[in-house]
Amino acid sequence: MGPINPYSNYRRGFEAQPTVIPASRAWLRILVGLVKYKFLGSIWFRLTYANLLFDDHYHPRLDLLVAMVFYYLYLYCNFSGFCDMAIGAAGMMGIPVAENFNNPFAARNIKDFWNRWHITLSQYMRDVVFAPLSKSLVRLGGPALVDHAIAVTIVMVFLLVGVWHGVGWNFAAYGAVHALGVVANHYYTIGLKKWLGREGFKAYNINPWIHGVAVVLTFGYCAASLIFFANTFPQIKEMFSLMR
């Protein structure tokens, strides 16, 4: 579930001079995790798919949007709250644990999202799958196909990310949706750099209006993608049959 803690972190925790993490900071981290996990998560859960839509009543389509957004909020509070408690508890024993979240709601694209959400899984997949597989494909296809080799590797990585989370075609679909988002960002960035040039691309990235729109679109994409994470395909079919 995470955080996926590398061996080097554990080793530092058991060295002759272990990492000193203030007890007050560790307790505060546990408290913050409990509030997110037990309080906020419980509130948002009442407005997710299971509690809002599966009640044998017809619903307006707006309720589906509400369920998408609040499932995203619930999952964040549930997952990051659990990680906060794990990090705080490990800190009480002097064991440093890697951070697993960095404000994912502020992500400006799907690639940035995975640098902020379940960070340790992203790093694990980068080191164990992406790096060796992309290098092999580049050697096989040559420098001319390096961009396409990276795109193929991204697809493989995110299909694995999908099935990492559970058994079922819905989890594979979840991984495929994020693979599509990251690959689209990959090619979009390449095209934008060629079209705008170095200075134009830099200006594009620092433009606050573009940044704001990108964050909103990324939030919506990530929230919508979780329909596959939260529901099986029969459940999704039933859900849409209840839309009025």
PDB file of all heavy atoms in Angstrom, residues 50-76:
ATOM      1  N   ALA A  50     -20.539   4.452  -4.007  1.00  0.00           N
ATOM      2  CA  ALA A  50     -21.241   3.415  -3.246  1.00  0.00           C
ATOM      3  C   ALA A  50     -22.387   3.978  -2.431  1.00  0.00           C
ATOM      4  O   ALA A  50     -23.467   3.373  -2.345  1.00  0.00           O
ATOM      5  CB  ALA A  50     -20.245   2.693  -2.333  1.00  0.00           C
ATOM      6  N   ASN A  51     -22.198   5.126  -1.827  1.00  0.00           N
ATOM      7  CA  ASN A  51     -23.206   5.680  -0.922  1.00  0.00           C
ATOM      8  C   ASN A  51     -24.178   6.634  -1.595  1.00  0.00           C
ATOM      9  O   ASN A  51     -25.308   6.794  -1.125  1.00  0.00           O
ATOM     10  CB  ASN A  51     -22.516   6.398   0.237  1.00  0.00           C
ATOM     11  CG  ASN A  51     -21.858   5.428   1.186  1.00  0.00           C
ATOM     12  OD1 ASN A  51     -22.516   4.657   1.871  1.00  0.00           O
ATOM     13  ND2 ASN A  51     -20.539   5.445   1.215  1.00  0.00           N
ATOM     14  N   LEU A  52     -23.755   7.279  -2.672  1.00  0.00           N
ATOM     15  CA  LEU A  52     -24.615   8.273  -3.311  1.00  0.00           C
ATOM     16  C   LEU A  52     -25.477   7.675  -4.416  1.00  0.00           C
ATOM     17  O   LEU A  52     -26.661   8.002  -4.534  1.00  0.00           O
ATOM     18  CB  LEU A  52     -23.759   9.405  -3.888  1.00  0.00           C
ATOM     19  CG  LEU A  52     -24.526  10.547  -4.566  1.00  0.00           C
ATOM     20  CD1 LEU A  52     -25.425  11.262  -3.568  1.00  0.00           C
ATOM     21  CD2 LEU A  52     -23.550  11.529  -5.209  1.00  0.00           C
ATOM     22  N   LEU A  53     -24.905   6.771  -5.216  1.00  0.00           N
ATOM     23  CA  LEU A  53     -25.587   6.328  -6.434  1.00  0.00           C
ATOM     24  C   LEU A  53     -26.259   4.956  -6.327  1.00  0.00           C
ATOM     25  O   LEU A  53     -27.268   4.718  -6.987  1.00  0.00           O
ATOM     26  CB  LEU A  53     -24.589   6.313  -7.600  1.00  0.00           C
ATOM     27  CG  LEU A  53     -23.967   7.676  -7.952  1.00  0.00           C
ATOM     28  CD1 LEU A  53     -22.977   7.521  -9.093  1.00  0.00           C
ATOM     29  CD2 LEU A  53     -25.041   8.681  -8.314  1.00  0.00           C
ATOM     30  N   PHE A  54     -25.711   4.075  -5.521  1.00  0.00           N
ATOM     31  CA  PHE A  54     -26.258   2.716  -5.455  1.00  0.00           C
ATOM     32  C   PHE A  54     -27.312   2.616  -4.344  1.00  0.00           C
ATOM     33  O   PHE A  54     -27.114   1.949  -3.329  1.00  0.00           O
ATOM     34  CB  PHE A  54     -25.143   1.695  -5.246  1.00  0.00           C
ATOM     35  CG  PHE A  54     -24.228   1.561  -6.432  1.00  0.00           C
ATOM     36  CD1 PHE A  54     -22.928   2.037  -6.377  1.00  0.00           C
ATOM     37  CD2 PHE A  54     -24.676   0.984  -7.608  1.00  0.00           C
ATOM     38  CE1 PHE A  54     -22.081   1.926  -7.470  1.00  0.00           C
ATOM     39  CE2 PHE A  54     -23.833   0.863  -8.711  1.00  0.00           C
ATOM     40  CZ  PHE A  54     -22.544   1.339  -8.639  1.00  0.00           C
ATOM     41  N   ASP A  55     -28.433   3.285  -4.555  1.00  0.00           N
ATOM     42  CA  ASP A  55     -29.504   3.269  -3.562  1.00  0.00           C
ATOM     43  C   ASP A  55     -30.849   2.888  -4.181  1.00  0.00           C
ATOM     44  O   ASP A  55     -31.899   3.158  -3.607  1.00  0.00           O
ATOM     45  CB  ASP A  55     -29.613   4.638  -2.881  1.00  0.00           C
ATOM     46  CG  ASP A  55     -29.866   5.765  -3.882  1.00  0.00           C
ATOM     47  OD1 ASP A  55     -29.947   5.483  -5.094  1.00  0.00           O
ATOM     48  OD2 ASP A  55     -29.993   6.920  -3.448  1.00  0.00           O
ATOM     49  N   ASP A  56     -30.812   2.298  -5.388  1.00  0.00           N
ATOM     50  CA  ASP A  56     -32.026   1.843  -6.084  1.00  0.00           C
ATOM     51  C   ASP A  56     -32.950   2.984  -6.468  1.00  0.00           C
ATOM     52  O   ASP A  56     -34.161   2.791  -6.634  1.00  0.00           O
ATOM     53  CB  ASP A  56     -32.799   0.813  -5.235  1.00  0.00           C
ATOM     54  CG  ASP A  56     -31.992  -0.447  -5.003  1.00  0.00           C
ATOM     55  OD1 ASP A  56     -31.279  -0.859  -5.931  1.00  0.00           O
ATOM     56  OD2 ASP A  56     -32.059  -0.996  -3.892  1.00  0.00           O
ATOM     57  N   HIS A  57     -32.396   4.189  -6.619  1.00  0.00           N
ATOM     58  CA  HIS A  57     -33.175   5.335  -7.083  1.00  0.00           C
ATOM     59  C   HIS A  57     -32.515   5.917  -8.324  1.00  0.00           C
ATOM     60  O   HIS A  57     -31.306   5.783  -8.523  1.00  0.00           O
ATOM     61  CB  HIS A  57     -33.256   6.420  -5.999  1.00  0.00           C
ATOM     62  CG  HIS A  57     -34.036   6.013  -4.796  1.00  0.00           C
ATOM     63  ND1 HIS A  57     -35.404   5.919  -4.785  1.00  0.00           N
ATOM     64  CD2 HIS A  57     -33.631   5.670  -3.536  1.00  0.00           C
ATOM     65  CE1 HIS A  57     -35.824   5.536  -3.587  1.00  0.00           C
ATOM     66  NE2 HIS A  57     -34.759   5.372  -2.813  1.00  0.00           N
ATOM     67  N   TYR A  58     -33.310   6.571  -9.153  1.00  0.00           N
ATOM     68  CA  TYR A  58     -32.759   7.279 -10.294  1.00  0.00           C
ATOM     69  C   TYR A  58     -32.074   8.555  -9.814  1.00  0.00           C
ATOM     70  O   TYR A  58     -32.492   9.165  -8.830  1.00  0.00           O
ATOM     71  CB  TYR A  58     -33.851   7.622 -11.304  1.00  0.00           C
ATOM     72  CG  TYR A  58     -34.322   6.416 -12.085  1.00  0.00           C
ATOM     73  CD1 TYR A  58     -35.542   5.808 -11.782  1.00  0.00           C
ATOM     74  CD2 TYR A  58     -33.543   5.883 -13.103  1.00  0.00           C
ATOM     75  CE1 TYR A  58     -35.974   4.692 -12.481  1.00  0.00           C
ATOM     76  CE2 TYR A  58     -33.964   4.771 -13.817  1.00  0.00           C
ATOM     77  CZ  TYR A  58     -35.180   4.179 -13.504  1.00  0.00           C
ATOM     78  OH  TYR A  58     -35.592   3.076 -14.195  1.00  0.00           O
ATOM     79  N   HIS A  59     -31.028   8.962 -10.556  1.00  0.00           N
ATOM     80  CA  HIS A  59     -30.252  10.135 -10.157  1.00  0.00           C
ATOM     81  C   HIS A  59     -30.022  11.050 -11.353  1.00  0.00           C
ATOM     82  O   HIS A  59     -29.853  10.579 -12.479  1.00  0.00           O
ATOM     83  CB  HIS A  59     -28.883   9.706  -9.598  1.00  0.00           C
ATOM     84  CG  HIS A  59     -28.951   9.086  -8.250  1.00  0.00           C
ATOM     85  ND1 HIS A  59     -28.783   9.800  -7.083  1.00  0.00           N
ATOM     86  CD2 HIS A  59     -29.185   7.799  -7.864  1.00  0.00           C
ATOM     87  CE1 HIS A  59     -28.899   8.986  -6.041  1.00  0.00           C
ATOM     88  NE2 HIS A  59     -29.145   7.769  -6.484  1.00  0.00           N
ATOM     89  N   PRO A  60     -29.973  12.356 -11.113  1.00  0.00           N
ATOM     90  CA  PRO A  60     -29.561  13.270 -12.183  1.00  0.00           C
ATOM     91  C   PRO A  60     -28.087  13.059 -12.499  1.00  0.00           C
ATOM     92  O   PRO A  60     -27.314  12.602 -11.646  1.00  0.00           O
ATOM     93  CB  PRO A  60     -29.815  14.658 -11.589  1.00  0.00           C
ATOM     94  CG  PRO A  60     -29.753  14.455 -10.116  1.00  0.00           C
ATOM     95  CD  PRO A  60     -30.301  13.079  -9.864  1.00  0.00           C
ATOM     96  N   ARG A  61     -27.681  13.413 -13.707  1.00  0.00           N
ATOM     97  CA  ARG A  61     -26.285  13.201 -14.118  1.00  0.00           C
ATOM     98  C   ARG A  61     -25.311  14.001 -13.254  1.00  0.00           C
ATOM     99  O   ARG A  61     -24.148  13.625 -13.134  1.00  0.00           O
ATOM    100  CB  ARG A  61     -26.125  13.555 -15.593  1.00  0.00           C
ATOM    101  CG  ARG A  61     -26.834  12.585 -16.521  1.00  0.00           C
ATOM    102  CD  ARG A  61     -26.536  12.877 -17.987  1.00  0.00           C
ATOM    103  NE  ARG A  61     -27.184  11.894 -18.839  1.00  0.00           N
ATOM    104  CZ  ARG A  61     -28.409  12.012 -19.334  1.00  0.00           C
ATOM    105  NH1 ARG A  61     -29.137  13.086 -19.042  1.00  0.00           N
ATOM    106  NH2 ARG A  61     -28.936  11.070 -20.103  1.00  0.00           N
ATOM    107  N   LEU A  62     -25.787  15.074 -12.674  1.00  0.00           N
ATOM    108  CA  LEU A  62     -24.924  15.872 -11.798  1.00  0.00           C
ATOM    109  C   LEU A  62     -24.411  15.044 -10.624  1.00  0.00           C
ATOM    110  O   LEU A  62     -23.286  15.254 -10.143  1.00  0.00           O
ATOM    111  CB  LEU A  62     -25.694  17.090 -11.280  1.00  0.00           C
ATOM    112  CG  LEU A  62     -24.926  18.036 -10.352  1.00  0.00           C
ATOM    113  CD1 LEU A  62     -23.723  18.642 -11.070  1.00  0.00           C
ATOM    114  CD2 LEU A  62     -25.839  19.139  -9.828  1.00  0.00           C
ATOM    115  N   ASP A  63     -25.201  14.083 -10.156  1.00  0.00           N
ATOM    116  CA  ASP A  63     -24.778  13.244  -9.031  1.00  0.00           C
ATOM    117  C   ASP A  63     -23.556  12.405  -9.386  1.00  0.00           C
ATOM    118  O   ASP A  63     -22.737  12.084  -8.513  1.00  0.00           O
ATOM    119  CB  ASP A  63     -25.916  12.332  -8.579  1.00  0.00           C
ATOM    120  CG  ASP A  63     -26.944  13.065  -7.734  1.00  0.00           C
ATOM    121  OD1 ASP A  63     -26.749  14.272  -7.502  1.00  0.00           O
ATOM    122  OD2 ASP A  63     -27.938  12.441  -7.323  1.00  0.00           O
ATOM    123  N   LEU A  64     -23.433  12.036 -10.657  1.00  0.00           N
ATOM    124  CA  LEU A  64     -22.254  11.284 -11.083  1.00  0.00           C
ATOM    125  C   LEU A  64     -21.007  12.152 -10.950  1.00  0.00           C
ATOM    126  O   LEU A  64     -19.961  11.683 -10.492  1.00  0.00           O
ATOM    127  CB  LEU A  64     -22.422  10.806 -12.527  1.00  0.00           C
ATOM    128  CG  LEU A  64     -21.232  10.036 -13.128  1.00  0.00           C
ATOM    129  CD1 LEU A  64     -20.953   8.765 -12.325  1.00  0.00           C
ATOM    130  CD2 LEU A  64     -21.510   9.696 -14.586  1.00  0.00           C
ATOM    131  N   LEU A  65     -21.127  13.418 -11.332  1.00  0.00           N
ATOM    132  CA  LEU A  65     -20.008  14.352 -11.186  1.00  0.00           C
ATOM    133  C   LEU A  65     -19.646  14.531  -9.721  1.00  0.00           C
ATOM    134  O   LEU A  65     -18.460  14.547  -9.359  1.00  0.00           O
ATOM    135  CB  LEU A  65     -20.381  15.695 -11.815  1.00  0.00           C
ATOM    136  CG  LEU A  65     -19.314  16.790 -11.751  1.00  0.00           C
ATOM    137  CD1 LEU A  65     -18.063  16.379 -12.510  1.00  0.00           C
ATOM    138  CD2 LEU A  65     -19.865  18.095 -12.325  1.00  0.00           C
ATOM    139  N   VAL A  66     -20.651  14.656  -8.870  1.00  0.00           N
ATOM    140  CA  VAL A  66     -20.412  14.788  -7.429  1.00  0.00           C
ATOM    141  C   VAL A  66     -19.674  13.562  -6.901  1.00  0.00           C
ATOM    142  O   VAL A  66     -18.699  13.681  -6.145  1.00  0.00           O
ATOM    143  CB  VAL A  66     -21.750  14.977  -6.678  1.00  0.00           C
ATOM    144  CG1 VAL A  66     -21.536  14.879  -5.162  1.00  0.00           C
ATOM    145  CG2 VAL A  66     -22.376  16.311  -7.040  1.00  0.00           C
ATOM    146  N   ALA A  67     -20.126  12.365  -7.308  1.00  0.00           N
ATOM    147  CA  ALA A  67     -19.492  11.129  -6.847  1.00  0.00           C
ATOM    148  C   ALA A  67     -18.040  11.043  -7.304  1.00  0.00           C
ATOM    149  O   ALA A  67     -17.162  10.591  -6.554  1.00  0.00           O
ATOM    150  CB  ALA A  67     -20.277   9.922  -7.347  1.00  0.00           C
ATOM    151  N   MET A  68     -17.774  11.468  -8.532  1.00  0.00           N
ATOM    152  CA  MET A  68     -16.399  11.436  -9.055  1.00  0.00           C
ATOM    153  C   MET A  68     -15.476  12.316  -8.220  1.00  0.00           C
ATOM    154  O   MET A  68     -14.389  11.893  -7.816  1.00  0.00           O
ATOM    155  CB  MET A  68     -16.381  11.915 -10.509  1.00  0.00           C
ATOM    156  CG  MET A  68     -16.895  10.918 -11.508  1.00  0.00           C
ATOM    157  SD  MET A  68     -16.801  11.597 -13.196  1.00  0.00           S
ATOM    158  CE  MET A  68     -17.339  10.171 -14.140  1.00  0.00           C
ATOM    159  N   VAL A  69     -15.917  13.538  -7.960  1.00  0.00           N
ATOM    160  CA  VAL A  69     -15.075  14.490  -7.222  1.00  0.00           C
ATOM    161  C   VAL A  69     -14.854  14.026  -5.783  1.00  0.00           C
ATOM    162  O   VAL A  69     -13.727  14.028  -5.282  1.00  0.00           O
ATOM    163  CB  VAL A  69     -15.706  15.891  -7.236  1.00  0.00           C
ATOM    164  CG1 VAL A  69     -14.973  16.831  -6.278  1.00  0.00           C
ATOM    165  CG2 VAL A  69     -15.697  16.466  -8.652  1.00  0.00           C
ATOM    166  N   PHE A  70     -15.945  13.595  -5.137  1.00  0.00           N
ATOM    167  CA  PHE A  70     -15.802  13.244  -3.729  1.00  0.00           C
ATOM    168  C   PHE A  70     -15.121  11.896  -3.525  1.00  0.00           C
ATOM    169  O   PHE A  70     -14.519  11.661  -2.477  1.00  0.00           O
ATOM    170  CB  PHE A  70     -17.158  13.298  -3.028  1.00  0.00           C
ATOM    171  CG  PHE A  70     -17.556  14.696  -2.664  1.00  0.00           C
ATOM    172  CD1 PHE A  70     -18.354  15.456  -3.505  1.00  0.00           C
ATOM    173  CD2 PHE A  70     -17.090  15.280  -1.500  1.00  0.00           C
ATOM    174  CE1 PHE A  70     -18.695  16.756  -3.187  1.00  0.00           C
ATOM    175  CE2 PHE A  70     -17.416  16.583  -1.164  1.00  0.00           C
ATOM    176  CZ  PHE A  70     -18.224  17.326  -2.017  1.00  0.00           C
ATOM    177  N   TYR A  71     -15.179  11.000  -4.513  1.00  0.00           N
ATOM    178  CA  TYR A  71     -14.386   9.770  -4.390  1.00  0.00           C
ATOM    179  C   TYR A  71     -12.900  10.109  -4.443  1.00  0.00           C
ATOM    180  O   TYR A  71     -12.090   9.520  -3.714  1.00  0.00           O
ATOM    181  CB  TYR A  71     -14.747   8.771  -5.482  1.00  0.00           C
ATOM    182  CG  TYR A  71     -14.000   7.467  -5.309  1.00  0.00           C
ATOM    183  CD1 TYR A  71     -14.449   6.509  -4.403  1.00  0.00           C
ATOM    184  CD2 TYR A  71     -12.813   7.224  -5.990  1.00  0.00           C
ATOM    185  CE1 TYR A  71     -13.735   5.332  -4.199  1.00  0.00           C
ATOM    186  CE2 TYR A  71     -12.100   6.049  -5.794  1.00  0.00           C
ATOM    187  CZ  TYR A  71     -12.574   5.107  -4.899  1.00  0.00           C
ATOM    188  OH  TYR A  71     -11.856   3.949  -4.695  1.00  0.00           O
ATOM    189  N   TYR A  72     -12.543  11.041  -5.310  1.00  0.00           N
ATOM    190  CA  TYR A  72     -11.153  11.488  -5.410  1.00  0.00           C
ATOM    191  C   TYR A  72     -10.689  12.074  -4.072  1.00  0.00           C
ATOM    192  O   TYR A  72      -9.614  11.739  -3.559  1.00  0.00           O
ATOM    193  CB  TYR A  72     -11.055  12.522  -6.527  1.00  0.00           C
ATOM    194  CG  TYR A  72      -9.675  12.971  -6.919  1.00  0.00           C
ATOM    195  CD1 TYR A  72      -8.522  12.298  -6.501  1.00  0.00           C
ATOM    196  CD2 TYR A  72      -9.498  14.085  -7.742  1.00  0.00           C
ATOM    197  CE1 TYR A  72      -7.262  12.723  -6.891  1.00  0.00           C
ATOM    198  CE2 TYR A  72      -8.244  14.519  -8.125  1.00  0.00           C
ATOM    199  CZ  TYR A  72      -7.129  13.840  -7.694  1.00  0.00           C
ATOM    200  OH  TYR A  72      -5.882  14.267  -8.075  1.00  0.00           O
ATOM    201  N   LEU A  73     -11.516  12.948  -3.471  1.00  0.00           N
ATOM    202  CA  LEU A  73     -11.178  13.534  -2.176  1.00  0.00           C
ATOM    203  C   LEU A  73     -11.103  12.470  -1.089  1.00  0.00           C
ATOM    204  O   LEU A  73     -10.186  12.482  -0.246  1.00  0.00           O
ATOM    205  CB  LEU A  73     -12.218  14.591  -1.797  1.00  0.00           C
ATOM    206  CG  LEU A  73     -12.330  15.814  -2.704  1.00  0.00           C
ATOM    207  CD1 LEU A  73     -13.480  16.709  -2.252  1.00  0.00           C
ATOM    208  CD2 LEU A  73     -11.030  16.594  -2.747  1.00  0.00           C
ATOM    209  N   TYR A  74     -12.064  11.537  -1.112  1.00  0.00           N
ATOM    210  CA  TYR A  74     -12.064  10.465  -0.115  1.00  0.00           C
ATOM    211  C   TYR A  74     -10.813   9.607  -0.237  1.00  0.00           C
ATOM    212  O   TYR A  74     -10.156   9.301   0.766  1.00  0.00           O
ATOM    213  CB  TYR A  74     -13.314   9.593  -0.299  1.00  0.00           C
ATOM    214  CG  TYR A  74     -13.131   8.179   0.201  1.00  0.00           C
ATOM    215  CD1 TYR A  74     -13.078   7.900   1.573  1.00  0.00           C
ATOM    216  CD2 TYR A  74     -12.957   7.116  -0.701  1.00  0.00           C
ATOM    217  CE1 TYR A  74     -12.871   6.609   2.029  1.00  0.00           C
ATOM    218  CE2 TYR A  74     -12.759   5.823  -0.242  1.00  0.00           C
ATOM    219  CZ  TYR A  74     -12.714   5.573   1.116  1.00  0.00           C
ATOM    220  OH  TYR A  74     -12.504   4.297   1.565  1.00  0.00           O
ATOM    221  N   LEU A  75     -10.471   9.218  -1.463  1.00  0.00           N
ATOM    222  CA  LEU A  75      -9.319   8.339  -1.654  1.00  0.00           C
ATOM    223  C   LEU A  75      -8.040   9.019  -1.193  1.00  0.00           C
ATOM    224  O   LEU A  75      -7.180   8.392  -0.571  1.00  0.00           O
ATOM    225  CB  LEU A  75      -9.206   7.927  -3.121  1.00  0.00           C
ATOM    226  CG  LEU A  75      -8.198   6.826  -3.438  1.00  0.00           C
ATOM    227  CD1 LEU A  75      -8.570   5.524  -2.737  1.00  0.00           C
ATOM    228  CD2 LEU A  75      -8.098   6.604  -4.946  1.00  0.00           C
ATOM    229  N   TYR A  76      -7.928  10.322  -1.483  1.00  0.00           N
ATOM    230  CA  TYR A  76      -6.744  11.048  -1.030  1.00  0.00           C
ATOM    231  C   TYR A  76      -6.660  11.062   0.492  1.00  0.00           C
ATOM    232  O   TYR A  76      -5.603  10.774   1.068  1.00  0.00           O
ATOM    233  CB  TYR A  76      -6.752  12.481  -1.565  1.00  0.00           C
ATOM    234  CG  TYR A  76      -5.689  13.336  -0.925  1.00  0.00           C
ATOM    235  CD1 TYR A  76      -4.345  13.193  -1.281  1.00  0.00           C
ATOM    236  CD2 TYR A  76      -6.006  14.271   0.063  1.00  0.00           C
ATOM    237  CE1 TYR A  76      -3.356  13.946  -0.669  1.00  0.00           C
ATOM    238  CE2 TYR A  76      -5.029  15.027   0.671  1.00  0.00           C
ATOM    239  CZ  TYR A  76      -3.700  14.863   0.300  1.00  0.00           C
ATOM    240  OH  TYR A  76      -2.716  15.608   0.913  1.00  0.00           O
TER     241      TYR A  76
END
